[in-house]
Amino acid sequence: MLTLDDQLSVLSVARQALEARVARFGAPDVECVGPFALRCGAFVSIHRGDDLRGCLGRLTADWPLGRTIVHLGGAVADRDPRFPPVMPSELPLLQIEISLLTPERPIASVDDIEVGRHGLIVEHGYARGLLLPQVATEHAWDRETFLEHTCMKAGLPRDAWTNGARIHVFEAHVFSEVVSG
């Protein structure tokens, strides 16, 4: 989806947006040309070592990637309700990961889900849960466990996927900063 140089540029903008938000500066300006003109859903995750420190995303492809990355790179600093705001002292310890998403699509059968390739969205009524493809891989989950955790992320019973919940899949192009030291 993006060249290595493009990936490094996108990661750099996400880092600038994160640091600007933590320092309470204005967001960086990005010209939405080249890779930054791409329109796709995206997630920005931050990790501290092996631990998730924040993750926010947009499924819609209505913004150019430059705008999406600036928005999410800043918002992940203090808008993920699962985590306290990022402190300035943490910035050198954080690694940024970007996931660029394909459009979601419904599946005919759960047998169509490929763990490691597909991310999942489970919906029932107003409840909606999403897990990125790398989550299942990182936890060595099988298909059923991945479905159960996506249901729980939506606030649904673990077995909602067997009781009328709608299931969609998507794919992600994932890249991250290189960990130094």
Side-chain angles (χ1 to χ4, degrees):
M1 197 177 236
L2 295 180
T3 68
L4 180 57
D5 284 344
D6 291 344
Q7 292 174 24
L8 294 173
S9 295
V10 170
L11 287 163
S12 175
V13 166
R15 169 67 64 178
Q16 291 169 41
L18 173 67
E19 291 177 351
R21 180 71 154 260
V22 171
R24 303 198 189 294
F25 295 142
D29 288 327
V30 175
E31 190 175 354
C32 293
V33 297
F36 295 104
L38 179 68
R39 290 183 181 260
C40 64
F43 274 72
V44 173
S45 305
I46 51 177
H47 298 268
R48 185 170 175 172
D50 292 334
D51 297 325
L52 182 66
R53 183 61 180 83
C55 180
L56 292 175
R58 285 180 54 87
L59 289 176
T60 58
D62 55 340
W63 291 357
L65 184 60
R67 180 178 176 192
T68 299
I69 293 300
V70 167
H71 170 73
L72 295 174
V76 76
D78 56 20
R79 295 288 166 98
D80 187 332
R82 300 170 293 176
F83 301 96
V86 171
M87 303 300 297
S89 61
E90 289 181 271
L91 288 170
L93 307 173
L94 298 178
Q95 179 186 17
I96 296 175
E97 176 183 86
I98 308 279
S99 301
L100 304 182
L101 311 183
T102 63
E104 64 186 81
R105 63 178 174 79
I107 56 170
S109 164
V110 294
D111 294 333
D112 295 340
I113 298 168
E114 293 182 43
V115 174
R117 177 180 176 193
H118 292 134
L120 295 180
I121 300 169
V122 173
E123 298 175 317
H124 196 274
Y126 291 107
R128 180 176 171 113
L130 177 148
L131 287 175
L132 295 169
Q134 58 268 39
V135 174
T137 305
E138 290 165 2
H139 294 284
W141 291 340
D142 60 17
R143 181 183 297 133
E144 185 171 316
T145 305
F146 193 20
L147 282 159
E148 289 174 350
H149 280 273
T150 309
C151 289
M152 291 186 301
K153 179 89 183 268
L156 297 168
R158 327 174 60 97
D159 65 348
W161 64 276
T162 65
N163 294 310
R166 292 176 309 284
I167 303 168
H168 290 78
V169 296
F170 60 90
E171 296 176 36
H173 176 65
V174 183
F175 51 96
S176 61
E177 293 177 321
V178 175
V179 179
S180 59

